[in-house]
Structures are given as structure tokens and as C-alpha cells.
Coordinates of all heavy atoms in Angstrom, one line a residue:
M329 N -11.9 1.3 -7.1 CA -11.9 2.2 -5.9 C -11.0 3.4 -6.2 O -9.9 3.2 -6.9 CB -11.3 1.4 -4.7 CG -11.3 2.2 -3.5 SD -10.8 1.3 -2.1 CE -9.6 2.4 -1.4
K330 N -11.4 4.5 -5.8 CA -10.5 5.7 -6.0 C -9.3 5.6 -5.1 O -9.3 5.1 -4.0 CB -11.3 7.0 -5.6 CG -12.4 7.3 -6.5 CD -13.1 8.6 -6.0 CE -14.3 8.9 -6.9 NZ -15.0 10.1 -6.5
E331 N -8.2 6.2 -5.6 CA -7.0 6.2 -4.8 C -7.1 7.2 -3.7 O -7.7 8.3 -3.9 CB -5.8 6.6 -5.8 CG -4.4 6.4 -5.2 CD -4.1 4.9 -5.0 OE1 -4.6 4.1 -5.7 OE2 -3.4 4.6 -4.0
I332 N -6.6 6.9 -2.6 CA -6.7 7.8 -1.4 C -5.5 8.8 -1.5 O -4.4 8.5 -1.6 CB -6.5 7.0 -0.1 CG1 -7.7 6.0 0.0 CG2 -6.5 7.9 1.1 CD1 -7.6 5.1 1.1
A333 N -5.9 10.1 -1.6 CA -4.9 11.1 -1.8 C -4.7 11.9 -0.5 O -5.2 13.0 -0.3 CB -5.4 12.1 -2.9
V334 N -3.9 11.3 0.4 CA -3.5 12.0 1.6 C -2.0 12.1 1.6 O -1.3 11.0 1.5 CB -3.9 11.2 2.9 CG1 -3.5 11.8 4.1 CG2 -5.5 11.0 2.9
E335 N -1.5 13.3 1.6 CA 0.0 13.4 1.4 C 0.7 13.8 2.8 O 1.8 13.5 2.9 CB 0.3 14.5 0.4 CG -0.2 14.1 -1.0 CD 0.0 15.2 -2.0 OE1 0.7 16.2 -1.7 OE2 -0.5 15.1 -3.1
K336 N -0.1 14.4 3.7 CA 0.5 14.9 4.9 C -0.5 14.5 6.1 O -1.7 14.6 5.9 CB 0.8 16.4 5.0 CG 2.0 16.8 4.2 CD 2.2 18.3 4.5 CE 3.6 18.7 4.0 NZ 3.8 20.1 4.3
C337 N 0.1 14.3 7.2 CA -0.7 14.1 8.4 C -1.3 15.4 8.8 O -0.5 16.4 9.0 CB 0.1 13.5 9.5 SG -0.7 13.4 11.1
P338 N -2.6 15.6 9.0 CA -3.1 16.9 9.4 C -2.8 17.3 10.8 O -3.0 18.4 11.2 CB -4.6 16.7 9.2 CG -4.9 15.2 9.3 CD -3.6 14.6 8.8
Y339 N -2.3 16.3 11.6 CA -2.0 16.6 13.0 C -0.6 17.1 13.2 O -0.3 18.1 13.9 CB -2.2 15.4 13.9 CG -3.7 14.9 13.8 CD1 -4.0 13.9 13.0 CD2 -4.6 15.6 14.5 CE1 -5.3 13.5 13.0 CE2 -6.0 15.2 14.5 CZ -6.3 14.1 13.7 OH -7.6 13.7 13.6
C340 N 0.4 16.4 12.6 CA 1.8 16.7 12.9 C 2.6 17.2 11.6 O 3.7 17.6 11.7 CB 2.6 15.5 13.5 SG 2.9 14.2 12.4
G341 N 1.9 17.0 10.5 CA 2.6 17.4 9.2 C 3.5 16.3 8.7 O 4.2 16.5 7.7
G342 N 3.5 15.1 9.3 CA 4.4 14.0 8.8 C 4.0 13.6 7.4 O 2.8 13.7 7.0
E343 N 5.0 13.2 6.6 CA 4.7 12.9 5.2 C 4.8 11.4 4.9 O 4.7 11.0 3.8 CB 5.7 13.7 4.4 CG 5.5 15.2 4.5 CD 6.5 16.0 3.6 OE1 7.3 15.3 2.8 OE2 6.4 17.2 3.6
E344 N 4.9 10.6 5.9 CA 4.9 9.2 5.7 C 3.7 8.5 6.3 O 3.7 8.2 7.5 CB 6.2 8.6 6.2 CG 6.5 7.2 5.7 CD 7.9 6.7 6.1 OE1 8.7 7.5 6.6 OE2 8.1 5.5 5.9
L345 N 2.7 8.3 5.5 CA 1.5 7.6 6.0 C 1.5 6.2 5.4 O 1.7 6.0 4.2 CB 0.2 8.4 5.5 CG 0.1 9.8 6.1 CD1 -1.1 10.5 5.4 CD2 -0.1 9.8 7.5
K346 N 1.3 5.2 6.3 CA 1.4 3.8 5.9 C 0.0 3.2 5.9 O -0.8 3.4 6.9 CB 2.3 3.0 6.8 CG 3.8 3.4 6.7 CD 4.3 3.1 5.3 CE 5.7 3.4 5.1 NZ 6.2 3.1 3.8
E347 N -0.3 2.3 5.0 CA -1.5 1.6 4.9 C -1.3 0.3 5.8 O -0.3 -0.4 5.6 CB -1.9 1.2 3.5 CG -3.1 0.3 3.4 CD -3.3 -0.2 2.0 OE1 -2.7 -1.2 1.6 OE2 -4.1 0.5 1.3
C348 N -2.2 0.1 6.7 CA -2.2 -1.0 7.6 C -3.5 -1.8 7.6 O -4.6 -1.1 7.6 CB -1.9 -0.6 9.1 SG -0.4 0.3 9.2
R349 N -3.5 -3.1 7.6 CA -4.7 -3.9 7.7 C -5.1 -4.0 9.2 O -4.2 -4.4 10.0 CB -4.5 -5.2 7.1 CG -5.7 -6.0 7.1 CD -5.5 -7.4 6.4 NE -6.7 -8.2 6.6 CZ -7.1 -9.1 5.8 NH1 -6.5 -9.3 4.6 NH2 -8.1 -9.8 6.1
V350 N -6.3 -3.8 9.5 CA -6.8 -4.0 10.9 C -7.1 -5.4 11.1 O -7.8 -6.1 10.3 CB -8.1 -3.1 11.1 CG1 -8.7 -3.3 12.5 CG2 -7.8 -1.6 10.8
E351 N -6.6 -6.0 12.1 CA -6.7 -7.5 12.4 C -7.6 -7.7 13.6 O -8.1 -6.7 14.2 CB -5.3 -8.1 12.7 CG -4.4 -8.1 11.5 CD -4.8 -9.0 10.4 OE1 -5.5 -10.0 10.7 OE2 -4.4 -8.8 9.2
S352 N -7.8 -8.9 14.0 CA -8.6 -9.3 15.2 C -10.0 -8.9 15.1 O -10.5 -8.0 15.7 CB -8.0 -8.8 16.5 OG -7.0 -9.6 16.9

């Protein structure tokens, strides 16, 4: 799988994007 290259949030410019697993 290709690495996801997202460095900034396009909405607020935040630089800390976290990977989360969707549950339920």
C-alpha cells in the first residue's frame, strides 16, 4: 500500500494528523 502523504489539515492547517481505527 502506498504511504498516505498528508502533512497538514486542509481545514485548519493543523500539522498533527493521527491514524485511528474505526470500531463498532
Side-chain angles (χ1 to χ4, degrees):
M329 184 177 131
K330 292 181 181 178
E331 194 65 31
I332 298 171
V334 178
E335 296 177 11
K336 283 188 169 185
C337 174
Y339 300 101
C340 74
E343 295 183 1
E344 195 170 350
L345 297 171
K346 292 294 181 183
E347 176 184 83
C348 303
R349 183 178 169 148
V350 178
E351 295 288 337
S352 280

